[in-house]
Amino acid sequence: MKILSVSELNQYVARVLSQDFLLNSLRVEGEISGGKLYPSGHYYFTLKDSKAQTSCVCFKSAMSNLDFKPIDGQHVIVSGYATIYEQGGRFQIIVRSIERAGEGLLYARFVELRDRLQKSGLFAEERKKKIPFLPERIGIITSLEGAVIRDIVHILRRRFPGFVIRIFPVSVQGSSSAQEIVTALALANSEADCDVLIICRGGGSLEDLMPFNSEEVALAVSASEIPVISAVGHETDYTICDFVSDLRAPTPSAAAELVLPRKSDLLTNLDMYRNRMKTLLLHTFALANSKLKHLTERPVLRQGDYLISSRLQKLDILSWRLQSSLTAVSADQPLRIARLKDRIERSSLSILQHQSVLLEKGRNMLRANMSHRLSQERLGLDKLTAKLLALDPNAVVRRGYARLSCIETGKAISSLEQLAIGADIRIYLADGIADARVKELFPLELLENLQEGSLPD
Amino acid sequence: MDNKETQLELSYEAAVERLEEIVNLLEKGEAPLEESLDLFREGVTLAKACEEKLSALTEEISKIQLGPEGIMIETKVEFPDA
């Protein structure tokens, strides 16, 4: 086997490449990165796709008839021939011309990747994670410059004062953008302890949005443990990042409105629960009260009296019948019967009397017992009502006062310092709530040195 | 895969769920008087706790970047009001 020198090897490879039909008239599509224009007028750059890259050189002559200025991140179609740079032993493309990859080509690439990822189940609903209702720390992957992050901050300040956001600054277009997003996602998932992530950028051309259509970003988003909200471009723009994310927001501002509820809604909600509980409790008390009253009128109590008086009545009838039968008997049997009659009379009367005394005592005991029970119940009820009133923050309100709270923060207001002219406050009155705006503030000292009744109107 | 419940969210959502439960119990009206009052007391306390938690929150905005040795650096970011 003949031993070659390096230059012989490289020359051989150059010859092989030059005889290959395809490599001699190439058209290659990819993204420009690391482009450098030398004083010589030659332009060296790398052409890459999501998995590979190759180096290219466009000599001065070819550069002059380009109809655009190539810059990093642009998607282009390069035509030329492949060769080996013999000194360096490096495979490269000698570029004759470069043309911008039209929207059509970019879109075709987008559709192709989207369908492939869809088939692999990356967009499946079951993979979508739940967005937390009230995230404590929100991670935002976007550019620090530009209006997007400023809009999000202002929207969140209006909706939910006291939010916490951690921004992961990335470039949102150009060749390094996709990789920066992937790094940010990894960082967020490893250390930054966020509860939700928003990946967002403003509107742009399909080329500007390409990083969000890259496979590397798609894979990174789907691998994220933390739920991801994607808000890329205008409402009408759909990127692969949107499809693979756990929630797509039409725009970055919409994402801000989705990620946190309005704090004033939460506070009103709590107020609603408090009032609901109070009304229900008062209702339960009223029910108990009426049950008690109802109990006292129940026939079984009155019946007690009824049973006793009917028993007494029966006794009267018996004694009357006894009397009359005895008189009938004694009419025809003189002395013996008279004595017998006497004894019967005395013993039955004593029985009758004894019975009625017992019954009388029973009735009184029943009555006493009942009233004792009733007063016990009433006492218990009054004690509980008192406890309720003590608890009820609005008790004061019922006695004609009002309770104020700041609509935004929900804090109770007790002094002028907490107020400013134009501040929105919520007034709690006995029969409802009123929202108002402060018109004028009169501190105590001002009032004191004014004469009575001459308050400035 | 369930995601990490945050402390604030867990307590807030759990609290609201309990409030809902209390309202339902009071609505059924089966609980004896003393117990209804205890339920009411628990509900009022829960609502107050949530309100305080919400009002106590303070705004924090920071940016996170990878430092030289690959360690995370967090720095505060100012956003003046519009």
Side-chain angles (χ1 to χ4, degrees), chain A residues 126-127 129-137 144 149-150 153-154 157 160-169 183 187 191-195 222 224-225 227 263 266-267 269-271 273-274 276-281 284-285 287-288 381 384 387-388 391-393 409-411, chain B residues 1 3-10 12-13 16-17 19-20 22-24 26-29 31-34 36-44 46-48 50-66 70-74 77-82:
Chain A
E126 329 63 82
R127 291 180 66 92
K129 289 180 279 301
K130 174 180 159 315
I131 306 293
F133 165 70
L134 201 58
E136 242 177 278
R137 283 172 299 281
L144 253 186
I149 188 64
R150 272 204 313 282
V153 167
H154 293 145
R157 273 189 181 143
F160 195 94
F163 59 83
V164 171
I165 55 175
R166 291 184 174 150
I167 306 168
F168 297 82
T183 316
L187 191 53
E191 274 152 53
D193 196 10
C194 302
D195 309 308
S222 105
S224 165
E225 291 288 323
K263 188 180 269 195
L266 299 185
L267 293 171
N269 193 8
L270 289 173
D271 237 9
Y273 275 121
R274 198 196 329 267
R276 186 87 186 95
M277 288 187 288
K278 204 179 67 193
T279 350
L280 285 168
L281 193 78
T284 321
F285 266 64
L287 216 63
L381 190 60
L384 291 181
K387 254 199 243 172
L388 162 69
L391 260 175
D392 171 13
T409 62
K411 273 210 190 81
Chain B
M1 94 197 130
N3 59 341
K4 185 163 71 67
E5 294 285 352
T6 65
Q7 213 284 330
L8 169 77
E9 170 187 353
L10 191 66
Y12 191 88
E13 243 180 312
V16 170
E17 243 161 62
L19 282 171
E20 192 69 41
I22 290 174
V23 167
N24 293 338
L26 290 176
E27 238 152 25
K28 280 209 212 73
L33 219 49
E34 185 66 26
S36 306
L37 188 69
D38 291 340
L39 282 174
F40 174 78
R41 191 178 293 128
E42 182 195 346
V44 169
L46 264 178
K48 191 153 164 293
C50 285
E51 272 163 1
E52 274 155 11
K53 203 181 287 291
L54 286 176
S55 333
L57 294 172
T58 49
E59 176 179 295
E60 271 173 47
I61 306 179
S62 61
K63 66 177 179 194
I64 306 232
Q65 282 152 317
L66 262 187
I71 36 133
M72 182 180 96
I73 303 174
E74 184 172 3
V77 181
E78 289 304 323
F79 275 92
D81 257 328

